[in-house]
Amino acid sequence: MSGTPRPDPQPAPAPDAGDRPDAHGSTAPAEDPGHGSAAPAEDPGHGSEAPAEQPAEGPAKPARGLPRVREMLLAIGLIIVVSLLFTRSCSFSPGGPTVAPGSAPTVDSAAQLQEAALHTPFALHVPQLPPGWTANSADDGPVVGGGRAVTVGYLTEGGSYVRLVQSDATEENLVAAQAGGPQTATGTVDAAGLTWVVYRVGPRSEAMWVAQLPATPRSSLLLTGSAPEPDFRTLAQAAVDGTVLPVGSAPS
């Protein structure tokens, strides 16, 4: 035997993790980092499931904007129609539409004025209306700033509107109450033996005439409305020539 010692056997290299044999003894090749990592296996312990398919969306619902617009337009149209019908029979509406006298309500203006005379502190005039004229409204009440006003509205034979206001208020307060605010006079006009101060009021620049009567207690007449100037003159003369009701009483 030779005395040369034999080299120790080298232990076999441990198999690389990528070369470990599987259960069937085959060696699975190691993953190549150059080609990307394989997707990790699902963990059955966490119960992961593939996401369920989303149901297909149904047909888009029509926008509700258009139906609402149509409903609003129909409602506005109905309001306009009702407003026009109401305006045709409105009691005090200078500048209102021309209407047939027979289609508007009527009042007994003479009786209304006689009743108002019982508590009015100035004399009232009952106009002698020309043929074809009708009274369609009457009212009386206080004037802002002091005084009282008795009003009768008339429809002329041609269907225009004009109203007569009798009051003991100052001209400034009476005009402001009738026009909805202070106004500036534009001139004067003579009619029925009186000098009338002329105003132009509202978006239609309608005429408003005011004249002081030469009687005691002091009072004034005011005319306004959509009627033309000839109708103003007719009513002015009818009022001056009409029956005068004494203060605090009515004729028998």
Side-chain angles (χ1 to χ4, degrees):
M1 294 182 59
S2 172
T4 304
R6 289 183 292 180
D8 295 332
Q10 297 295 326
D16 186 76
D19 297 330
R20 291 177 183 171
D22 56 14
H24 299 282
S26 59
T27 302
E31 294 176 355
D32 186 354
H35 292 78
S37 304
E42 296 180 354
D43 185 0
H46 291 78
S48 300
E49 296 181 359
E53 292 184 0
Q54 297 297 329
E57 295 184 357
K61 295 182 179 180
R64 299 185 62 185
L66 291 179
R68 288 180 177 175
V69 170
R70 286 195 295 268
E71 293 172 0
M72 291 176 61
L73 292 177
L74 289 175
I76 292 173
L78 180 60
I79 292 173
I80 293 173
V81 171
V82 173
S83 299
L84 290 175
L85 292 176
F86 176 77
T87 303
R88 291 177 65 88
S89 61
C90 184
S91 296
F92 297 109
S93 179
T98 301
V99 297
S103 66
T106 60
V107 299
D108 187 343
S109 59
Q112 295 287 336
L113 290 170
Q114 289 174 4
E115 182 178 348
L118 297 174
H119 54 267
T120 299
F122 54 90
L124 292 177
H125 290 240
V126 181
Q128 300 297 320
L129 297 178
W133 284 53
T134 58
N136 75 331
S137 59
D139 189 24
D140 72 283
V143 176
V144 176
R148 192 169 190 86
V150 179
T151 305
V152 178
Y154 299 93
L155 291 178
T156 70
E157 184 179 12
S160 297
Y161 178 85
V162 59
R163 73 176 182 262
L164 170 66
V165 184
Q166 305 181 59
S167 176
D168 60 346
T170 65
E171 180 178 319
E172 180 182 4
N173 290 338
L174 180 59
V175 170
Q178 295 296 314
Q183 304 294 317
T184 301
T186 60
T188 61
V189 63
D190 294 329
L194 301 174
T195 298
W196 302 74
V197 181
V198 178
Y199 296 83
R200 291 287 176 178
V201 300
R204 297 184 180 89
S205 189
E206 291 175 352
M208 181 179 287
W209 293 7
V210 185
Q212 185 171 341
L213 291 169
T216 303
R218 172 187 172 278
S219 64
S220 300
L221 301 179
L222 181 148
L223 302 174
T224 189
S226 61
E229 181 175 329
D231 289 335
F232 273 53
R233 292 182 174 275
T234 297
L235 184 55
Q237 193 67 57
V240 170
D241 294 343
T243 303
V244 179
L245 303 178
V247 176
S249 65
S252 58

